[in-house]
């Protein structure tokens, strides 16, 4: 526990926000309200995204007027029915999908395309099959112009963090799905992005592996204190990991609710059995259910 | 401590391999023996069919008098130049056809038409243009070998995994970086297949071109031996050609396996 807090404070200090560094007396991380004091990392204003239907010539709106601020170190999750526009939203932040209106800022810089200040983890691991694990993890760094040797050194910390040490010389096909997704995660973390974007990162895994990976991500995020925006349709996953859960409406997506998760950190997966956890899950579920009934969105 | 079950190493795979090798070799041996017997007992005019022993004798003769080496060098030169230029041209052409839609639209039909034309039928023209020497043969080899390369590389480009491109773009990869880090590695197995096919076609091109209009080389040697009823020498020549082809194919196959390790035929787990 002490170790985790040490890590956090050193990362925060390194980022130049010494005031955010935690005391070493073993106190827990502050409750989510305190994020208000922190600088905004990712700011989305009035975002509208549409897809042009080439046959009819109409533009189908997928994301409708979403405004959202995410502060440094915050873990925010978007939940919503499948097909509502979550991935579209995330891809727009990644710079992969153009938006028609509004703006996206990371550290106050307007996003116009992909960049090293963001890294994405998709549902599919999509590792380069001809590269060994080590060179897959450094792929993002190499694309940014770093030499393989230097990239390996920089990535080393994250290889340990996702417990892949000893697997650097394996090919992706020799790994299980969970391990492949860890490589995917390490590849993103190695770039040391300002904002980490996760699009249903565990959806393709079996139930047991998914739970284990959730716990690992929880531990990992509390260690490195990254700003994270995740998309999922697993409500328990959202509550377990997040400081805030944003609920998207059915298509076109807008923000139905923005729910704080005031559970103390560091968290353990046993909190799933707590009264508070169930209350939060119910609250989120009722919002989604209500929207689905009105919109007939299922 | 938990006890882990370990089975002794099994010889089953090895035994099966030996059995199939034995079976294969005995069929070849049987064929050679029957051929020899057919010749020894004069069932067929020996002038036409020769015999294994006489073929070996003829082979030794052309090795000793240096004529084999002399012809081999000429045919080898024709092959190496034609094949080399085919790779140098075919590789970029195939990649460009696969990578740029516009290039495919422009040159695709032209190349398909070229490919459908029987190259050897153009031999008389090449002899008029380039003479009876080595150049006309090189052109035939080039034209025989280049199309398998172009087609395979073009197909390779269409098998690129779009998810990988998506990821690369998310990490800010430029078009050139996508090409280098994803498109090129994807082409490698196809390149090897293309090289194997091209080697076969190229070898065929050398021999046929020399048989049709040559003054030297293995094909010419075979053709000349045939027209003077030296059946032994014809078989000896064919044997050398076949051996060269098999060696080439085997080498390229090995090379392919080397680059294919990541695919998992040699999985560690
Ligand atoms: N490239 C695209 N072109 C056209 N329509 C798309 C494209 N991608 C997604 N859509 C549509 O946009 C809507 C939202 O999709 P998506 O963002 O993938 O939803 P989610 O991730 O929430 O399941 C869906 O109706 C989908 O059909
Ligand atoms: Mg999605």
């Amino acid at each position: 526990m002490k170790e985790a807090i040490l890590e956090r404070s050193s990362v925060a200090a390194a980022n130049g926000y010494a005031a955010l560094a935690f005391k070493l007396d073993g106190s827990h991380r502050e409750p989510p309200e305190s994020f208000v004091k922190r600088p905004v990392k990712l700011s989305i204003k009035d975002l509208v995204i549409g897809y042009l239907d080439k046959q009819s010539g109409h533009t189908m709106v997928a994301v409708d007027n979403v405004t959202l601020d995410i502060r440094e170190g915050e873990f925010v999750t978007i939940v919503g029915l499948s097909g509502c526009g979550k991935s579209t939203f995330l891809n727009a932040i990644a710079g992969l999908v153009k938006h028609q209106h509004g703006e996206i800022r990371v550290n106050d810089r307007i996003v116009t395309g992909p960049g090293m200040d963001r890294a994405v983890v998709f549902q599919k691991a999509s590792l380069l099959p001809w590269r060994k694990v080590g060179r897959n993890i450094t792929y993002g760094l190499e694309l940014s112009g770093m030499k393989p040797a230097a990239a390996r050194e920089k990535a080393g910390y994250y290889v340990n963090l996702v417990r892949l040490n000893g697997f650097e010389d394996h090919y992706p096909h020799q790994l299980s799905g969970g391990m492949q997704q860890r490589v995917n995660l390490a590849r993103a973390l190695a770039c040391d992005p300002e904002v980490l974007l996760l699009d249903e990162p565990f959806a393709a895994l079996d139930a047991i592996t998914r739970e284990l990976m959730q716990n690992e991500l929880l531990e990992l995020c509390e260690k490195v204190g990254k700003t994270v925006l995740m998309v999922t349709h697993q409500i328990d996953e959202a509550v377990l990991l997040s400081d805030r859960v944003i609920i998207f409406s059915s298509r076109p997506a807008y923000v139905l609710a923005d729910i704080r998760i005031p559970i103390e950190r560091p968290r353990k997966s046993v909190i799933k059995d707590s009264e508070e956890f169930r209350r939060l899950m119910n609250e989120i579920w009722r919002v989604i259910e209500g929207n689905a009934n009105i919109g007939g969105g299922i | 401590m938990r006890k882990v079950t370990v089975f002794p190493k099994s010889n089953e795979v090895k035994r099966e391999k030996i059995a199939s090798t034995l079976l294969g070799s005995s069929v070849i041996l049987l064929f050679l023996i029957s051929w020899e017997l057919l010749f020894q007992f004069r069932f067929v005019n020996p002038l036409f069919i020769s015999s294994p022993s006489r073929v070996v004798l003829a082979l030794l003769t052309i090795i000793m008098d240096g004529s084999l080496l002399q012809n081999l060098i000429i045919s080898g030169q024709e092959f190496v130049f034609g094949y080399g230029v085919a790779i140098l041209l075919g590789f970029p052409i195939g990649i460009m056809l696969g990578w740029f839609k516009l290039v495919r639209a422009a040159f695709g039909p032209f190349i398909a038409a070229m490919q459908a034309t029987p190259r050897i039928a153009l031999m008389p023209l090449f002899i008029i243009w380039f003479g009876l020497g080595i150049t006309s043969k090189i052109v035939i080899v080039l034209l025989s070998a280049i199309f398998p390369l172009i087609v395979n590389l073009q197909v390779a480009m269409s098998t690129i995994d779009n998810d990988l491109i998506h990821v690369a773009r998310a990490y800010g990869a430029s078009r050139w970086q996508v090409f280098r880090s994803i498109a090129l590695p994807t082409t490698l197995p196809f390149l090897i297949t293309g090289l194997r096919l091209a080697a076969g076609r190229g070898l065929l091109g050398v021999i046929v071109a020399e048989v049709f209009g040559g003054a030297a080389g293995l094909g010419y040697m075979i053709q000349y031996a045939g027209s003077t009823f030296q059946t032994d020498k014809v078989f000896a020549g064919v044997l050398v050609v076949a051996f060269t082809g098999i060696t080439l194919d085997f080498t390229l196959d090995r090379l392919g396996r080397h680059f294919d390790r990541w695919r998992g035929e040699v999985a560690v787990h």
Side-chain angles (χ1 to χ4, degrees), chain B:
Chain B
M1 262 268 275
R2 199 172 145 264
K3 219 173 136 247
V4 180
T5 314
V6 179
F7 287 105
K9 199 173 155 209
S10 168
N11 283 327
E12 207 172 318
V13 180
K14 211 169 160 190
R15 270 205 300 271
E16 245 173 55
K17 225 174 184 172
I18 291 173
S20 70
T21 311
L22 276 178
L23 208 63
S25 356
S26 47
V27 167
I28 293 177
L29 205 68
L30 206 68
F31 170 76
L32 290 177
I33 290 171
S34 342
W35 182 8
E36 187 71 45
L37 289 178
L38 220 59
F39 173 83
Q40 294 298 344
F41 291 105
R42 310 267 188 250
F43 283 123
V44 189
N45 186 347
L47 195 62
F48 295 157
I49 62 156
S50 186
S51 82
S53 54
R54 298 195 45 172
V55 171
V56 170
L57 224 64
L59 193 60
L60 285 176
T61 315
I62 53 175
I63 289 173
M64 300 304 254
D65 70 9
S67 62
L68 177 66
L69 187 67
Q70 201 183 340
N71 288 313
L72 212 51
I73 286 173
I74 289 171
S75 298
Q77 271 176 349
E78 292 162 355
F79 178 80
V80 167
F81 282 118
Y83 192 59
V85 176
I87 294 170
L88 288 181
L89 293 179
F91 187 74
I93 291 176
I95 297 255
M96 297 234 280
L97 279 171
W99 189 248
F100 299 108
K101 266 196 209 116
L102 214 63
V103 176
R104 185 159 57 246
F107 293 100
F110 175 71
I111 286 179
M114 287 275 286
Q115 196 188 354
T117 312
R119 261 79 60 183
I120 203 65
L122 298 171
M123 193 60 198
L125 275 181
F126 294 151
I127 291 176
I128 295 172
W129 294 343
F130 306 112
L132 276 172
I134 175 168
T135 316
S136 55
K137 284 33 160 219
I138 291 176
V139 173
I140 287 282
V141 175
L142 167 63
L143 287 179
S144 305
I146 197 168
F147 290 106
L149 278 168
I150 290 178
V151 170
N152 267 283
L153 286 165
Q154 191 185 333
V155 168
M157 295 307 242
S158 68
T159 66
I160 295 172
D161 185 349
N162 273 322
D163 289 332
L164 295 186
I165 294 186
H166 197 62
V167 166
R169 280 191 51 219
Y171 282 102
S174 64
R175 215 170 136 77
W176 166 243
Q177 282 179 317
V178 171
F179 178 77
R180 265 207 32 200
S181 67
I182 296 172
L184 271 190
T186 304
T187 60
L188 210 54
F190 290 84
L191 173 66
I192 301 290
T193 310
L195 284 176
R196 282 178 73 180
L197 281 172
R201 304 271 178 86
L203 206 60
L204 192 69
V206 169
I207 302 305
V208 174
E210 284 170 354
V211 166
F212 264 81
L218 273 181
Y220 173 74
M221 185 191 91
I222 292 170
Q223 190 269 336
Y224 184 79
S227 61
T228 50
F229 290 95
Q230 295 171 267
T231 329
D232 320 336
K233 207 168 157 187
V234 172
F235 277 115
V238 171
L239 207 63
V240 170
V241 174
F243 180 75
T244 311
I246 291 168
T247 310
L248 213 57
D249 196 60
F250 180 78
T251 312
L252 287 169
D253 182 44
R254 269 301 151 98
L255 197 69
R257 273 165 209 257
H258 176 77
F259 284 118
D260 248 4
R261 274 167 312 171
W262 55 269
R263 223 183 265 284
E265 287 108 333
V266 282
V268 172
H269 289 260

Side-chain angles (χ1 to χ4, degrees), chain A residues 172-183:
Chain A
H173 73 86
Q174 298 170 314
L175 304 181
S176 67
M179 287 293 262
Q180 291 187 8
Q181 201 57 342
R182 273 196 207 144
V183 178

Side-chain angles (χ1 to χ4, degrees), chain A residues 72-118:
Chain A
E72 157 141 36
E74 223 179 349
F75 194 120
V76 176
T77 297
I78 296 170
V79 294
L81 297 173
S82 67
C84 76
K86 304 182 294 292
S87 294
T88 304
F89 182 70
L90 209 77
N91 280 334
I93 296 168
L96 293 168
V97 168
K98 292 255 174 298
H99 53 276
Q100 274 71 30
H101 182 77
E103 64 182 30
I104 303 165
R105 285 170 187 270
V106 174
N107 270 353
D108 228 29
R109 270 196 314 274
I110 291 189
V111 166
T112 52
M116 288 304 280
D117 50 353
R118 290 143 290 147

Side-chain angles (χ1 to χ4, degrees), chain A:
Chain A
M1 222 87 313
K2 202 124 192 163
E3 228 180 68
I5 291 157
L6 244 166
E7 292 276 5
R8 250 199 104 76
S9 58
S10 65
V11 169
N15 285 346
Y17 299 109
L20 296 175
F22 288 81
K23 293 186 196 81
L24 297 179
D25 59 11
S27 68
H28 288 311
R29 199 170 108 180
E30 302 147 86
E33 289 81 45
S34 63
F35 282 115
V36 175
K37 293 182 226 148
R38 301 191 186 182
V40 174
K41 269 273 149 173
L42 174 65
S43 166
I44 291 125
K45 240 182 96 190
D46 303 326
L47 197 70
V48 178
I49 307 164
Y51 287 114
L52 181 67
D53 184 350
K54 282 191 178 129
Q55 275 163 21
S56 69
H58 289 294
T59 300
M60 188 267 293
V61 179
V63 173
D64 197 5
N65 253 301
V66 173
T67 298
L68 187 67
D69 274 352
I70 298 179
R71 289 174 186 272
E72 157 141 36
E74 223 179 349
F75 194 120
V76 176
T77 297
I78 296 170
V79 294
L81 297 173
S82 67
C84 76
K86 304 182 294 292
S87 294
T88 304
F89 182 70
L90 209 77
N91 280 334
I93 296 168
L96 293 168
V97 168
K98 292 255 174 298
H99 53 276
Q100 274 71 30
H101 182 77
E103 64 182 30
I104 303 165
R105 285 170 187 270
V106 174
N107 270 353
D108 228 29
R109 270 196 314 274
I110 291 189
V111 166
T112 52
M116 288 304 280
D117 50 353
R118 290 143 290 147
V120 203
V121 173
F122 295 105
Q123 178 180 325
K124 237 185 106 182
S126 292
L127 306 174
L128 307 192
W130 49 81
R131 282 190 179 215
K132 290 178 178 170
V133 166
R135 295 261 341 254
N136 260 296
I137 293 173
T138 55
Y139 183 56
L141 289 172
E142 283 175 35
L143 287 176
S144 75
M146 205 179 260
K147 288 259 156 6
R152 190 162 55 241
E153 205 174 307
K154 189 169 176 212
Y157 173 70
Y158 294 101
V159 174
N160 282 331
L161 209 57
V162 296
R163 290 195 237 145
L164 278 169
N165 29 347
F167 287 95
E168 287 98 328
D169 283 333
H170 285 58
Y171 283 104
H173 73 86
Q174 298 170 314
L175 304 181
S176 67
M179 287 293 262
Q180 291 187 8
Q181 201 57 342
R182 273 196 207 144
V183 178
N184 192 7
L185 196 62
R187 175 171 66 183
L189 285 168
C191 297
D192 199 11
E194 300 284 335
V195 181
L196 183 63
L197 304 168
L198 311 172
D199 191 350
E200 305 199 23
F202 310 135
L205 304 177
D206 63 272
I208 295 173
T209 311
R210 189 188 312 149
E211 293 233 354
L212 293 174
M213 292 289 287
Q214 285 168 2
N215 296 343
E216 274 191 29
L217 183 64
L218 181 66
E219 203 176 301
L220 190 143
C221 284
E222 289 178 350
K223 244 185 211 169
V224 297
K226 276 257 175 283
T227 312
V228 184
L229 179 61
M230 181 171 86
V231 159
T232 183
H233 53 231
Q234 299 261 133
I235 300 175
D236 62 334
E237 183 173 292
V239 176
L240 175 69
L241 295 168
S242 321
D243 299 303
R244 271 160 73 202
V245 175
I246 313 283
I247 306 173
F248 269 13
S249 69
S250 47
R251 207 189 76 205
Y254 56 90
V255 177
L256 279 178
D258 183 339
I259 295 171
R260 290 197 175 284
I261 308 295
I263 304 174
E264 281 190 336
R265 289 185 190 271
R267 295 174 187 167
K268 283 272 170 256
S269 61
V270 288
I271 62 162
K272 284 185 176 178
D273 296 327
S274 73
E275 200 53 49
E276 194 180 18
F277 193 89
R278 263 185 241 132
R279 182 185 62 74
L280 286 162
M281 274 188 56
N282 269 326
E283 189 181 340
I284 293 165
W285 173 240
R286 252 179 264 119
V287 177
I288 295 175
E289 196 181 29
N291 173 249
N293 289 340
I294 298 164
I298 301 188

